[in-house]
Coordinates of all heavy atoms in Angstrom, one line a residue:
M36 N 40.4 -149.3 -116.9 CA 41.3 -149.5 -118.1 C 42.7 -149.3 -117.6 O 43.1 -148.4 -116.9 CB 40.9 -148.4 -119.1 CG 41.7 -148.5 -120.4 SD 41.3 -147.2 -121.6 CE 39.7 -147.6 -122.0
S37 N 43.6 -150.2 -118.1 CA 45.0 -150.1 -117.7 C 45.7 -149.0 -118.4 O 45.2 -148.4 -119.4 CB 45.7 -151.5 -118.1 OG 45.9 -151.5 -119.5
K38 N 46.9 -148.6 -117.8 CA 47.7 -147.5 -118.4 C 48.0 -147.8 -119.9 O 48.0 -147.0 -120.7 CB 48.9 -147.3 -117.6 CG 49.8 -146.2 -118.1 CD 51.1 -146.0 -117.3 CE 51.9 -145.0 -117.9 NZ 53.2 -144.8 -117.2
D39 N 48.4 -149.1 -120.2 CA 48.8 -149.5 -121.5 C 47.6 -149.3 -122.5 O 47.8 -148.8 -123.6 CB 49.3 -150.9 -121.6 CG 50.6 -151.1 -120.9 OD1 51.4 -150.1 -120.8 OD2 50.9 -152.2 -120.5
N40 N 46.4 -149.6 -122.0 CA 45.2 -149.4 -122.9 C 44.9 -148.0 -123.1 O 44.5 -147.6 -124.2 CB 44.0 -150.1 -122.3 CG 44.1 -151.6 -122.5 OD1 44.8 -152.1 -123.3 ND2 43.3 -152.4 -121.7
K41 N 45.1 -147.1 -122.1 CA 44.9 -145.7 -122.3 C 45.8 -145.1 -123.3 O 45.5 -144.3 -124.1 CB 45.0 -145.0 -120.9 CG 43.9 -145.2 -120.0 CD 44.0 -144.4 -118.7 CE 42.8 -144.6 -117.8 NZ 42.9 -143.8 -116.6
I42 N 47.1 -145.6 -123.3 CA 48.1 -145.1 -124.2 C 47.7 -145.5 -125.6 O 47.8 -144.8 -126.6 CB 49.5 -145.6 -123.9 CG1 50.0 -144.9 -122.6 CG2 50.5 -145.3 -125.0 CD1 51.3 -145.4 -122.0
K43 N 47.3 -146.8 -125.8 CA 46.8 -147.2 -127.1 C 45.6 -146.4 -127.6 O 45.5 -146.0 -128.7 CB 46.5 -148.7 -127.0 CG 47.7 -149.6 -126.9 CD 47.3 -151.1 -126.8 CE 48.5 -151.9 -126.5 NZ 48.2 -153.3 -126.2
D44 N 44.7 -146.1 -126.7 CA 43.5 -145.3 -127.0 C 44.0 -143.9 -127.5 O 43.5 -143.3 -128.4 CB 42.5 -145.2 -125.9 CG 41.8 -146.5 -125.6 OD1 41.9 -147.4 -126.5 OD2 41.2 -146.6 -124.5
L45 N 44.9 -143.3 -126.8 CA 45.5 -142.0 -127.1 C 46.1 -142.0 -128.4 O 46.0 -141.1 -129.2 CB 46.5 -141.6 -126.0 CG 47.2 -140.2 -126.3 CD1 46.2 -139.1 -126.3 CD2 48.2 -140.0 -125.2
N46 N 46.9 -143.1 -128.7 CA 47.6 -143.2 -130.0 C 46.6 -143.2 -131.2 O 46.9 -142.8 -132.3 CB 48.4 -144.5 -130.1 CG 49.7 -144.3 -129.2 OD1 50.1 -143.2 -129.0 ND2 50.2 -145.4 -128.8
F47 N 45.3 -143.6 -131.0 CA 44.3 -143.6 -132.0 C 44.1 -142.1 -132.5 O 43.8 -141.9 -133.7 CB 43.0 -144.1 -131.4 CG 41.9 -144.1 -132.4 CD1 41.8 -145.0 -133.5 CD2 40.9 -143.1 -132.3 CE1 40.7 -144.9 -134.4 CE2 39.8 -143.0 -133.2 CZ 39.7 -143.9 -134.2
Y48 N 44.3 -141.2 -131.6 CA 44.0 -139.8 -132.0 C 45.3 -139.0 -132.4 O 45.2 -137.9 -132.8 CB 43.5 -139.0 -130.8 CG 42.1 -139.5 -130.4 CD1 42.0 -140.3 -129.2 CD2 41.0 -139.3 -131.1 CE1 40.8 -140.8 -128.8 CE2 39.8 -139.8 -130.7 CZ 39.6 -140.5 -129.6 OH 38.4 -141.0 -129.2
T49 N 46.4 -139.7 -132.4 CA 47.7 -139.0 -132.6 C 48.2 -139.3 -134.0 O 47.8 -140.2 -134.7 CB 48.8 -139.4 -131.6 OG1 49.0 -140.8 -131.7 CG2 48.3 -139.0 -130.2
D50 N 49.1 -138.4 -134.5 CA 49.8 -138.6 -135.8 C 51.1 -137.8 -135.7 O 51.6 -137.6 -134.6 CB 48.9 -138.1 -136.9 CG 48.6 -136.6 -136.9 OD1 49.3 -135.9 -136.1 OD2 47.9 -136.1 -137.7
E51 N 51.6 -137.4 -136.8 CA 52.9 -136.7 -136.8 C 52.9 -135.4 -136.0 O 53.9 -134.8 -135.7 CB 53.4 -136.5 -138.2 CG 52.7 -135.4 -139.0 CD 51.4 -136.0 -139.8 OE1 51.1 -137.2 -139.6 OE2 50.8 -135.2 -140.5
H52 N 51.7 -134.8 -135.8 CA 51.6 -133.5 -135.1 C 51.5 -133.6 -133.5 O 51.8 -132.7 -132.8 CB 50.4 -132.7 -135.5 CG 50.4 -132.4 -137.0 ND1 51.5 -131.7 -137.6 CD2 49.6 -132.7 -138.0 CE1 51.2 -131.5 -138.9 NE2 50.1 -132.2 -139.1
I53 N 51.1 -134.8 -133.1 CA 50.9 -135.0 -131.7 C 51.6 -136.2 -131.2 O 51.5 -137.3 -131.8 CB 49.4 -135.2 -131.3 CG1 48.6 -134.0 -131.8 CG2 49.2 -135.5 -129.8 CD1 47.1 -134.2 -131.7
K54 N 52.5 -136.1 -130.3 CA 53.3 -137.2 -129.8 C 53.1 -137.4 -128.3 O 52.9 -136.5 -127.6 CB 54.8 -136.9 -130.1 CG 55.1 -136.5 -131.5 CD 56.3 -137.2 -132.1 CE 56.6 -136.8 -133.5 NZ 55.6 -137.0 -134.5
Y55 N 53.2 -138.6 -127.9 CA 53.1 -139.0 -126.5 C 54.5 -139.2 -125.9 O 55.4 -139.8 -126.5 CB 52.4 -140.4 -126.4 CG 52.4 -140.9 -125.0 CD1 51.4 -140.4 -124.1 CD2 53.3 -141.8 -124.5 CE1 51.4 -140.9 -122.8 CE2 53.3 -142.2 -123.2 CZ 52.3 -141.8 -122.4 OH 52.3 -142.2 -121.1
Y56 N 54.7 -138.5 -124.8 CA 56.0 -138.6 -124.1 C 55.7 -139.1 -122.7 O 54.7 -138.7 -122.0 CB 56.7 -137.3 -124.0 CG 57.2 -136.8 -125.3 CD1 56.4 -135.9 -126.1 CD2 58.4 -137.1 -125.9 CE1 56.8 -135.4 -127.3 CE2 58.8 -136.7 -127.1 CZ 58.0 -135.8 -127.8 OH 58.4 -135.4 -129.0
E57 N 56.6 -140.0 -122.2 CA 56.5 -140.4 -120.8 C 56.7 -139.3 -119.8 O 57.6 -138.5 -120.0 CB 57.5 -141.5 -120.5 CG 57.2 -142.8 -121.1 CD 55.9 -143.5 -120.6 OE1 55.6 -143.3 -119.4 OE2 55.3 -144.3 -121.3
Y58 N 55.8 -139.1 -118.9 CA 55.9 -138.1 -117.9 C 57.2 -138.1 -117.1 O 57.7 -137.1 -116.8 CB 54.7 -138.3 -116.9 CG 54.5 -137.1 -115.9 CD1 53.9 -135.9 -116.3 CD2 54.9 -137.3 -114.6 CE1 53.7 -134.9 -115.4 CE2 54.7 -136.3 -113.7 CZ 54.1 -135.1 -114.1 OH 54.0 -134.1 -113.2
S59 N 57.7 -139.3 -116.9 CA 59.0 -139.5 -116.2 C 60.2 -138.9 -116.9 O 61.2 -138.7 -116.3 CB 59.2 -141.0 -115.9 OG 59.3 -141.7 -117.1
N60 N 60.0 -138.6 -118.2 CA 61.1 -137.9 -118.9 C 61.4 -136.5 -118.5 O 62.4 -135.9 -118.8 CB 60.9 -138.0 -120.4 CG 61.0 -139.3 -121.0 OD1 61.6 -140.2 -120.5 ND2 60.3 -139.6 -122.1
F61 N 60.4 -135.9 -117.9 CA 60.4 -134.4 -117.6 C 60.9 -134.2 -116.2 O 60.7 -135.1 -115.3 CB 59.0 -133.8 -117.8 CG 58.6 -133.8 -119.2 CD1 57.8 -134.9 -119.7 CD2 59.0 -132.8 -120.1 CE1 57.4 -134.9 -121.0 CE2 58.6 -132.8 -121.4 CZ 57.8 -133.9 -121.9
K62 N 61.6 -133.1 -115.9 CA 62.2 -132.8 -114.6 C 61.7 -131.4 -114.2 O 61.2 -130.6 -115.0 CB 63.7 -132.8 -114.7 CG 64.3 -134.1 -115.2 CD 64.1 -135.2 -114.3 CE 64.7 -136.5 -114.8 NZ 64.0 -137.7 -114.6
D63 N 61.9 -131.1 -112.9 CA 61.5 -129.7 -112.4 C 60.1 -129.3 -112.8 O 59.9 -128.2 -113.3 CB 62.5 -128.7 -112.9 CG 63.9 -129.0 -112.5 OD1 64.1 -129.5 -111.4 OD2 64.8 -128.7 -113.3
I64 N 59.1 -130.2 -112.5 CA 57.7 -130.0 -112.9 C 57.1 -129.1 -111.8 O 57.1 -129.5 -110.6 CB 57.0 -131.3 -113.0 CG1 57.7 -132.1 -114.1 CG2 55.6 -131.1 -113.4 CD1 57.3 -133.6 -114.2
H65 N 56.5 -128.0 -112.2 CA 55.8 -127.0 -111.3 C 54.5 -126.6 -111.9 O 54.4 -126.2 -113.1 CB 56.6 -125.8 -111.1 CG 58.0 -126.1 -110.6 ND1 58.2 -126.3 -109.2 CD2 59.2 -126.1 -111.2 CE1 59.5 -126.6 -109.1 NE2 60.1 -126.4 -110.2
L66 N 53.4 -126.7 -111.1 CA 52.1 -126.3 -111.5 C 52.1 -124.8 -111.8 O 52.5 -124.0 -110.9 CB 51.0 -126.7 -110.5 CG 49.6 -126.3 -110.7 CD1 49.1 -127.1 -111.9 CD2 48.8 -126.5 -109.5
I67 N 51.5 -124.4 -112.9 CA 51.4 -122.9 -113.2 C 50.0 -122.5 -113.4 O 49.7 -121.3 -113.5 CB 52.3 -122.5 -114.4 CG1 52.0 -123.2 -115.6 CG2 53.8 -122.6 -114.0 CD1 52.7 -122.8 -116.9
G68 N 49.0 -123.4 -113.5 CA 47.6 -123.1 -113.7 C 46.7 -124.3 -113.9 O 47.2 -125.4 -114.1
G69 N 45.4 -124.0 -113.9 CA 44.5 -125.1 -114.1 C 43.1 -124.6 -114.3 O 42.8 -123.4 -114.1
G70 N 42.3 -125.5 -114.8 CA 40.9 -125.2 -115.0 C 40.0 -126.4 -115.1 O 40.4 -127.5 -114.6
S71 N 38.9 -126.3 -115.8 CA 37.9 -127.4 -115.8 C 38.4 -128.5 -116.7 O 38.0 -129.6 -116.6 CB 36.6 -126.9 -116.3 OG 36.7 -126.3 -117.6
F72 N 39.3 -128.2 -117.7 CA 39.8 -129.3 -118.6 C 41.0 -130.0 -118.0 O 41.3 -131.1 -118.4 CB 40.2 -128.7 -120.0 CG 39.0 -128.4 -120.8 CD1 38.6 -127.1 -121.0 CD2 38.2 -129.4 -121.4 CE1 37.6 -126.8 -121.8 CE2 37.1 -129.1 -122.2 CZ 36.8 -127.8 -122.4
G73 N 41.8 -129.4 -117.1 CA 43.0 -130.0 -116.6 C 43.9 -129.0 -116.0 O 43.5 -128.0 -115.6
S74 N 45.2 -129.3 -116.1 CA 46.2 -128.4 -115.5 C 47.3 -128.2 -116.4 O 47.6 -128.9 -117.4 CB 46.8 -129.1 -114.2 OG 45.7 -129.3 -113.3
V75 N 48.1 -127.1 -116.2 CA 49.3 -126.7 -117.0 C 50.5 -126.7 -116.0 O 50.4 -126.1 -115.0 CB 49.1 -125.4 -117.7 CG1 50.4 -125.0 -118.5 CG2 47.9 -125.4 -118.6
Y76 N 51.6 -127.3 -116.5 CA 52.8 -127.4 -115.7 C 53.9 -126.8 -116.5 O 54.0 -127.0 -117.7 CB 53.1 -128.8 -115.3 CG 52.1 -129.5 -114.4 CD1 50.9 -130.1 -114.9 CD2 52.2 -129.5 -113.0 CE1 50.0 -130.7 -114.1 CE2 51.3 -130.1 -112.2 CZ 50.2 -130.7 -112.7 OH 49.2 -131.2 -111.9
R77 N 54.9 -126.3 -115.8 CA 56.2 -125.9 -116.4 C 57.2 -127.0 -116.1 O 57.2 -127.5 -114.9 CB 56.7 -124.6 -115.8 CG 58.1 -124.2 -116.3 CD 58.6 -123.0 -115.5 NE 59.8 -122.5 -116.0 CZ 61.0 -123.1 -115.7 NH1 61.1 -124.1 -114.9 NH2 62.1 -122.6 -116.2
A78 N 57.9 -127.5 -117.1 CA 58.8 -128.6 -116.9 C 60.0 -128.5 -117.8 O 59.9 -127.8 -118.8 CB 58.1 -129.9 -117.2
T79 N 61.1 -129.2 -117.5 CA 62.2 -129.2 -118.4 C 62.4 -130.7 -118.9 O 62.1 -131.6 -118.2 CB 63.5 -128.8 -117.7 OG1 63.7 -129.6 -116.5 CG2 63.4 -127.3 -117.3
W80 N 62.9 -130.7 -120.1 CA 63.3 -132.0 -120.7 C 64.5 -131.7 -121.6 O 64.5 -130.8 -122.4 CB 62.1 -132.5 -121.6 CG 62.4 -133.8 -122.3 CD1 62.8 -135.0 -121.7 CD2 62.3 -134.1 -123.7 NE1 63.0 -136.0 -122.6 CE2 62.7 -135.5 -123.8 CE3 62.0 -133.4 -124.8 CZ2 62.7 -136.1 -125.1 CZ3 62.0 -134.0 -126.0 CH2 62.4 -135.4 -126.1
K81 N 65.6 -132.4 -121.3 CA 66.9 -132.2 -121.8 C 67.2 -130.7 -121.5 O 67.3 -130.4 -120.3 CB 66.9 -132.5 -123.3 CG 66.6 -134.0 -123.6 CD 66.8 -134.3 -125.0 CE 66.5 -135.8 -125.2 NZ 66.7 -136.2 -126.6
D82 N 67.5 -129.9 -122.5 CA 67.8 -128.5 -122.2 C 66.7 -127.5 -122.5 O 66.9 -126.3 -122.7 CB 69.1 -128.1 -123.0 CG 70.3 -128.8 -122.5 OD1 70.3 -129.1 -121.3 OD2 71.3 -129.0 -123.3
C83 N 65.5 -128.0 -122.7 CA 64.4 -127.2 -123.1 C 63.3 -127.0 -122.0 O 63.2 -127.9 -121.2 CB 63.7 -127.8 -124.3 SG 64.8 -127.9 -125.8
V84 N 62.6 -125.9 -122.0 CA 61.5 -125.7 -121.1 C 60.2 -125.9 -121.9 O 60.0 -125.4 -123.0 CB 61.5 -124.3 -120.5 CG1 60.4 -124.0 -119.6 CG2 62.8 -124.1 -119.7
F85 N 59.3 -126.6 -121.2 CA 58.0 -126.9 -121.9 C 56.8 -126.5 -121.0 O 57.0 -126.5 -119.8 CB 57.9 -128.5 -122.1 CG 58.7 -129.0 -123.2 CD1 60.0 -129.3 -123.0 CD2 58.2 -129.1 -124.5 CE1 60.8 -129.8 -124.0 CE2 59.0 -129.6 -125.5 CZ 60.3 -130.0 -125.3
A86 N 55.7 -126.3 -121.6 CA 54.4 -126.2 -120.9 C 53.7 -127.6 -121.1 O 53.5 -128.0 -122.2 CB 53.6 -125.1 -121.4
L87 N 53.5 -128.3 -120.0 CA 52.8 -129.6 -120.1 C 51.4 -129.4 -119.8 O 51.0 -128.8 -118.8 CB 53.4 -130.6 -119.1 CG 54.9 -131.0 -119.3 CD1 55.2 -132.0 -118.2 CD2 55.1 -131.6 -120.7
K88 N 50.5 -129.8 -120.7 CA 49.1 -129.8 -120.4 C 48.6 -131.2 -120.1 O 48.9 -132.1 -120.8 CB 48.3 -129.3 -121.6 CG 48.6 -127.8 -122.0 CD 47.7 -127.4 -123.1 CE 47.8 -125.9 -123.3 NZ 46.9 -125.4 -124.4
T89 N 47.9 -131.3 -119.0 CA 47.3 -132.5 -118.6 C 45.8 -132.3 -118.7 O 45.3 -131.2 -118.4 CB 47.7 -132.9 -117.2 OG1 47.2 -132.0 -116.2 CG2 49.2 -133.1 -117.0
F90 N 45.1 -133.4 -119.1 CA 43.6 -133.3 -119.3 C 42.9 -134.3 -118.4 O 43.5 -135.4 -118.2 CB 43.3 -133.5 -120.8 CG 44.0 -132.6 -121.7 CD1 45.1 -132.9 -122.4 CD2 43.6 -131.3 -121.8 CE1 45.8 -132.0 -123.2 CE2 44.2 -130.4 -122.6 CZ 45.3 -130.8 -123.3
N91 N 41.7 -133.9 -118.0 CA 40.9 -134.9 -117.3 C 40.7 -136.1 -118.1 O 40.7 -136.0 -119.3 CB 39.6 -134.2 -116.9 CG 39.8 -133.0 -116.0 OD1 40.8 -132.9 -115.3 ND2 38.9 -132.0 -116.1
D92 N 40.5 -137.2 -117.5 CA 40.3 -138.5 -118.2 C 38.9 -138.5 -118.9 O 37.9 -139.1 -118.4 CB 40.4 -139.6 -117.2 CG 40.5 -141.0 -117.9 OD1 40.8 -141.0 -119.1 OD2 40.4 -142.0 -117.2
D93 N 38.8 -137.8 -120.0 CA 37.6 -137.6 -120.7 C 37.8 -137.7 -122.2 O 38.5 -136.9 -122.7 CB 37.0 -136.2 -120.3 CG 35.7 -135.8 -120.9 OD1 35.3 -136.4 -121.9 OD2 35.1 -134.8 -120.5
E94 N 37.2 -138.6 -122.8 CA 37.4 -138.8 -124.3 C 37.0 -137.6 -125.1 O 37.6 -137.2 -126.1 CB 36.7 -140.0 -124.8 CG 37.0 -140.4 -126.2 CD 36.4 -141.7 -126.7 OE1 36.1 -142.5 -125.8 OE2 36.3 -141.9 -127.9
Q95 N 35.9 -136.9 -124.7 CA 35.4 -135.7 -125.4 C 36.5 -134.6 -125.3 O 36.7 -134.0 -126.3 CB 34.1 -135.3 -124.9 CG 33.5 -134.1 -125.6 CD 33.2 -134.4 -127.1 OE1 32.9 -135.5 -127.4 NE2 33.5 -133.5 -128.0
T96 N 37.1 -134.4 -124.2 CA 38.1 -133.4 -124.0 C 39.3 -133.7 -125.0 O 39.8 -132.9 -125.7 CB 38.6 -133.3 -122.6 OG1 37.5 -133.0 -121.7 CG2 39.8 -132.3 -122.4
L97 N 39.7 -135.0 -125.0 CA 40.8 -135.4 -125.9 C 40.5 -135.1 -127.3 O 41.3 -134.5 -128.1 CB 41.1 -136.9 -125.7 CG 42.2 -137.5 -126.6 CD1 43.6 -136.7 -126.3 CD2 42.4 -138.9 -126.3
K98 N 39.3 -135.4 -127.8 CA 38.9 -135.1 -129.2 C 39.0 -133.6 -129.5 O 39.5 -133.2 -130.5 CB 37.5 -135.6 -129.4 CG 37.4 -137.1 -129.5 CD 36.0 -137.6 -129.8 CE 35.9 -139.1 -129.8 NZ 34.5 -139.6 -130.0
E99 N 38.5 -132.8 -128.5 CA 38.5 -131.4 -128.7 C 39.9 -130.8 -128.8 O 40.2 -129.9 -129.6 CB 37.7 -130.7 -127.6 CG 36.2 -130.9 -127.7 CD 35.5 -130.4 -126.5 OE1 36.1 -129.6 -125.7 OE2 34.3 -130.7 -126.3
V100 N 40.8 -131.3 -128.0 CA 42.2 -130.9 -128.0 C 42.9 -131.3 -129.3 O 43.6 -130.4 -129.9 CB 43.0 -131.5 -126.8 CG1 44.5 -131.3 -127.0 CG2 42.5 -130.9 -125.5
V101 N 42.6 -132.5 -129.8 CA 43.2 -132.9 -131.1 C 42.7 -132.0 -132.2 O 43.5 -131.6 -133.0 CB 42.9 -134.4 -131.3 CG1 43.3 -134.8 -132.7 CG2 43.7 -135.3 -130.3
E102 N 41.4 -131.7 -132.2 CA 40.8 -130.9 -133.2 C 41.5 -129.5 -133.2 O 41.8 -128.9 -134.2 CB 39.3 -130.8 -133.1 CG 38.6 -132.0 -133.4 CD 37.1 -132.0 -133.1 OE1 36.6 -131.0 -132.7 OE2 36.5 -133.1 -133.3
E103 N 41.7 -128.9 -132.0 CA 42.3 -127.6 -131.8 C 43.8 -127.6 -132.4 O 44.2 -126.7 -133.1 CB 42.3 -127.2 -130.4 CG 42.9 -125.9 -130.1 CD 42.9 -125.4 -128.7 OE1 42.0 -125.9 -127.9 OE2 43.8 -124.7 -128.3
V104 N 44.5 -128.7 -132.1 CA 45.9 -128.8 -132.6 C 45.9 -128.8 -134.2 O 46.7 -128.1 -134.8 CB 46.6 -130.0 -132.1 CG1 47.9 -130.3 -132.8 CG2 46.8 -129.9 -130.6
Y105 N 44.9 -129.6 -134.8 CA 44.9 -129.6 -136.2 C 44.6 -128.2 -136.8 O 45.1 -127.8 -137.8 CB 43.8 -130.6 -136.7 CG 44.2 -132.0 -136.6 CD1 43.4 -132.9 -136.0 CD2 45.4 -132.4 -137.1 CE1 43.7 -134.3 -135.9 CE2 45.8 -133.8 -137.0 CZ 44.9 -134.7 -136.4 OH 45.3 -136.0 -136.3
I106 N 43.7 -127.5 -136.1 CA 43.3 -126.1 -136.6 C 44.6 -125.2 -136.5 O 44.9 -124.5 -137.5 CB 42.2 -125.5 -135.8 CG1 40.9 -126.3 -136.1 CG2 42.0 -124.0 -136.0 CD1 39.7 -126.0 -135.1
I107 N 45.3 -125.3 -135.5 CA 46.5 -124.5 -135.3 C 47.5 -124.8 -136.4 O 48.1 -124.0 -137.0 CB 47.2 -124.7 -133.9 CG1 46.2 -124.1 -132.9 CG2 48.6 -124.1 -133.8 CD1 46.6 -124.4 -131.4
F108 N 47.8 -126.1 -136.7 CA 48.7 -126.5 -137.7 C 48.2 -126.1 -139.1 O 49.1 -125.8 -140.0 CB 49.0 -128.0 -137.7 CG 50.1 -128.4 -136.7 CD1 49.8 -128.8 -135.4 CD2 51.4 -128.3 -137.1 CE1 50.8 -129.1 -134.6 CE2 52.4 -128.6 -136.2 CZ 52.1 -129.0 -135.0
E109 N 46.9 -126.0 -139.3 CA 46.4 -125.6 -140.6 C 46.7 -124.1 -140.8 O 46.9 -123.6 -142.0 CB 44.9 -125.8 -140.7 CG 44.6 -127.3 -141.0 CD 43.1 -127.6 -141.0 OE1 42.3 -126.6 -141.0 OE2 42.8 -128.7 -141.1
L110 N 46.8 -123.3 -139.7 CA 47.0 -121.9 -139.8 C 48.5 -121.6 -140.2 O 48.8 -120.5 -140.7 CB 46.7 -121.2 -138.5 CG 45.3 -121.2 -138.1 CD1 45.1 -120.6 -136.7 CD2 44.4 -120.5 -139.1
F111 N 49.4 -122.5 -139.9 CA 50.8 -122.3 -140.2 C 51.2 -123.0 -141.4 O 51.8 -123.5 -142.0 CB 51.7 -122.6 -139.0 CG 51.4 -121.7 -137.8 CD1 50.5 -122.1 -136.8 CD2 52.0 -120.5 -137.8 CE1 50.3 -121.2 -135.8 CE2 51.7 -119.6 -136.7 CZ 50.8 -120.0 -135.7

């Protein structure tokens, strides 16, 4: 699957709570941890510091992450 198709597939799961950003927009990227689902990086974008989560190329993982984000937003 091409990168463009993967982004389109990702957009299927996204809405106003989840946004896609190009990896190239971030600077000073440093690995801070990882596990079976993927890795976590510290990065800067503009004047802000972010934790970037990357996930293994697995549709089930993506669905679980999206469901978790919805649960978090429902709590607030």
